[in-house]
Amino acid sequence: MASLFPIFLVLAITLGLMSASFLFVRKGPNQAVIRTSLMLTFAVCYLTWMVTYLAQLHPLMVPTFSAPPAHTA
Amino acid sequence: MSDDYPSLLRSERMSLVQLFVPTEVAHDTVHELGELGDVQFKDLNPSVNPFQRSFVGEIRRIDDMARRTRFFDAQIEKEKDVVPVRPLYECAPLLTVGPRSAQTVDELDTTLSQYESKLTTLNESYQTLSERTRELTEARHVLRETAVFFDKAHTQTTNIRSSFDDSATPLLTSHDDREGGYSSGSFDLEFVAGTIERSRVPTFERVLWRVLRGNLYMNHTDIAEPFIDPSTNAETRKNVFIIFAHGDVVLAKIRKVAESMGATIFPIDANADKRADALREVENRLEDLQTVLYNTGIGRRSELVKIGESLRVWQDVVKKEKLIYETLNLFNYDVRRKTLIAEAWVPTRDLTKIQLALRHATEESGTSVPPILHELQTSKTPPTFHRTNKFTEGFQAIMDSYGISAYQEINPGLFAITTFPFLFAVMFGDIGHGFIILIAAVYMILREKAMAKQDNGEIIGQFFYGRYIILMMGLFSIYTGFLYNDLFSKTLHLFHSGWTFPDNSTRGVYTGHTYPFGLDPAWHGATNALVFTNSYKMKMSIVLGVIHMTFALCLQVPNHFRFKRKSDIYTNFIPQMLFLQSIFGYLVLCILYKWSVDWTKSPVSPPSLLNMLITMFLEPGKVDPEKQLYPGQGFVQTVLLGIAGVCVPWLLISKPYLAWREMHKTTGAGYVTLGNGEETAIARHSTDETLEGEEEGNGRAIAEGDEEHEGHDFGDVVIHQIIHTIEFCLGCISHTASYLRLWALSLAHAQLSEVLWSMTLDGRTDPKSIGGWIGLGIMGFMWLNLTIGILCLMEGLSAFLHALRLHWVEGNSKHFEGGGYPFAPLSFAGEGSKEA
């Protein structure tokens, strides 16, 4: 089930959100600030999520415990 | 980005304007412009001594008034009972513009001097009265104590009489005759009585003994209450003494010695009745003095209360007037035409606003001659002005602390609004701690208006200034907290985990389903959790770091376009970008690629990226097929290494080569390089030479590209480029490694959080007895305090500092030029700064 598809899907969503914020923020004294902040926020949030997801996609090590863990998945 | 609105992307376009101000309207014009806070005046008389400037007299008068207000402030401070001072926004305003303004200021001057003289006389009389009170109190003590002496001696007469026959010797026989009256004139003992400081008493006794060879009898007692000196508030303790001796010479000597030792001598009568009278008189006078003193105090207090009602508005007026006259001193005074000429920097966008203000000032002052505003062409570098609001000013301030941007260069502050809180959050990621700092920020923002008025103190004031930064930091920290799955060192199980533990095993089995958002909670408590998270966080730091540096590098390009040096894109930007990407961009791609490959299905075991990078440099082209990341790796890496190798001489040589070619072109065409490029600036109304000296930041001739050639020294370009190349290439490596602090701090934060939990609340969350509940309470309290103090405040400040460093060093070195000087308009709000 783990595949690269979600990465590209969320990338597309992020790019969509970034374009929307570029196009639809209304003109005003704060347009530059709002646009830049929104676009950068979407970009960095995507980046960190993507890295975290990708790091766990095909894990190279398994979690080991000293005693069987009590919690359920 | 549109030009209708100011943008934080670059500093505002500024114009140099010249103002022709008729003298009658000068004061009101400056007042109006000061209220506006949008104009930075230049000093047109830099060579003139401050004592020779035109408005020195007015400034002296204002200074006198300022001194008087300071005096009032000090007097109000000294009052024991607090005198209420009405704050500025509640005071009735004083109108200092318009036709009656001069009168108002004159009236203020007289009022202030009147109050001052009144207060000074009151203070002086209070002083003298206190002195008199003190003297009289001492006299009263002396009278009382001497009465005691005489009574005592009276009772002892008989004893003494019996021991000595010689009537001349015993000193105390006299008192009997004394009772009868002083007028006996026969053998009687005279005495000297007075007060002296307690510390001097033994010395006094010894000196007297030696001087008079023992021919005296001295008695002294302590005065219980200390005397307080009203001016210094120092306490002195005194003693009453009485010295019996015989003979004028002896008495004279005693008096002299007493005076030299600082004692006060009081005339005491031997007769008991007369002493009683004297005592009564002293008491009466003391009472009168106390009443007068009390009334003086009341009078003084009422004066101070009256002053307190208007003191703040007086101080405000004085401050503004001083600023206005200091500004007027900067103008050029044309006596013949009775006008003042001013030069000022003004944001081009605000020119109409300034025009309106000038017209408004003319209307207010009642004259009909408006000041004339006139734009000048100039090649001088204007000040850098970023128009910020209460949200952006904090971010702009922290980026300005590194250096003020050059005029019209790309402003790193705009991007820092997002990237700074983000990099902070990568180091601070914890939902709980992020939430705590978010609440703190929201609280400060909700109480903005109230907190802005009061004096919060240095530390709280700093936090208040950065409240919007803290808000953003909190929001991003909550997001990265969800990604790290860390809530006060606990994990959240929001989705199905990707690991199962079949048959109670201690080793997890991957289900094939990746935890969709953040770190899988199965890692929490695992013995090898740190191994996994370290690898993850280190690689994430490198990925984020290279992307941040690439972004910062790209910010160079708009600067090259704006400052008309398109060649720099080919000589600087492209080689830098290629160098960075061919090594570290490649590393990032390898990291992402290695993660995306399912290594269980690959014939090759996953290679170490670190070794791969090292062998890329040490053994280019040779890649062991057992350790390859992808087929064809050897060839690709050689190509990349080649590109990086070419970029270094490209970066080093191309720009100096272009400059050398330019130089040959201009010298070949017969031009001679001039010594100082500034002198060829376009002719202007005002003199260039005088203004040159005090102009800061005019070394950046890059801003107006046309004048570049004359001032350029080829040697400078070469040296600059060498430094730039070395700095960039070495910097690439060191800065990339520097981003590992993102991993280091987040690791430290997570570990601290865990340790705190395990040392306080771990195991106590299910109390089974009263003792358990008490333990829970105490430990919970400790946990909360340490969370806020260490994890939020200390770690927060640490992450703040490191995020800021990343912006200043790693980020700014890729594009920032700096060297601008800040726009410092005349403004009555705040401290009212003057121009540079």
Side-chain angles (χ1 to χ4, degrees), chain B residues 417-596:
Chain B
I417 297 178
T418 315
T419 57
F420 177 77
F422 169 66
L423 288 180
F424 171 89
V426 173
M427 295 188 267
F428 193 76
D430 185 309
I431 303 172
H433 302 142
F435 184 68
I436 291 178
I437 67 176
L438 179 68
I439 302 182
V442 166
Y443 174 74
M444 282 195 288
I445 291 173
L446 287 178
R447 291 199 57 224
E448 236 173 19
K449 291 217 167 60
M451 282 183 87
K453 283 212 186 92
Q454 62 188 98
D455 177 20
N456 298 309
E458 265 193 67
I459 297 179
I460 305 286
Q462 293 271 44
F463 281 111
F464 178 72
Y465 186 73
R467 60 197 180 281
Y468 285 102
I469 309 180
I470 302 178
L471 176 76
M472 298 293 283
M473 282 165 24
L475 288 171
F476 273 103
S477 299
I478 296 180
Y479 178 75
T480 52
F482 274 106
L483 279 178
Y484 292 156
N485 214 344
D486 193 354
L487 172 71
F488 295 129
S489 83
K490 301 283 156 217
T491 48
L492 295 173
H493 291 241
L494 295 172
F495 309 97
H496 287 300
S497 167
W499 301 89
T500 51
F501 294 84
D503 311 320
N504 254 354
S505 104
T506 56
R507 287 175 60 84
V509 170
Y510 188 47
T511 59
H513 154 81
T514 317
Y515 196 75
F517 190 86
L519 217 53
D520 200 307
W523 287 104
H524 182 74
T527 48
N528 56 354
L530 273 183
V531 183
F532 175 70
T533 48
N534 282 350
S535 161
Y536 152 63
K537 284 181 180 173
M538 285 172 105
K539 290 181 176 167
M540 180 157 84
S541 310
I542 299 292
V543 170
L544 291 177
V546 174
I547 293 179
H548 187 226
M549 286 197 290
T550 311
F551 178 71
L553 200 58
C554 293
L555 291 180
Q556 261 189 20
V557 179
N559 280 343
H560 293 322
F561 278 115
R562 173 58 65 110
F563 299 140
K564 310 239 185 333
R565 36 171 210 239
K566 283 230 281 253
S567 60
D568 269 19
I569 299 180
Y570 303 107
T571 63
N572 274 5
F573 171 66
I574 297 202
Q576 284 177 338
M577 186 58 104
L578 286 176
F579 184 84
L580 181 64
Q581 298 309 324
S582 62
I583 304 178
F584 299 101
Y586 173 65
L587 177 63
V588 167
L589 284 174
C590 288
I591 292 175
L592 294 177
Y593 175 70
K594 183 177 169 188
W595 269 338
S596 65

Side-chain angles (χ1 to χ4, degrees), chain A residues 4-18 42-43 45-47 49-50 53, chain B residues 479 516-517:
Chain A
L4 289 173
F5 173 68
I7 294 187
F8 294 111
L9 174 66
V10 182
L11 175 64
I13 296 176
T14 310
L15 288 174
L17 285 170
M18 284 171 75
F42 290 133
C45 286
Y46 168 72
L47 269 175
W49 170 83
M50 184 264 278
Y53 183 81
Chain B
Y479 178 75
F517 190 86

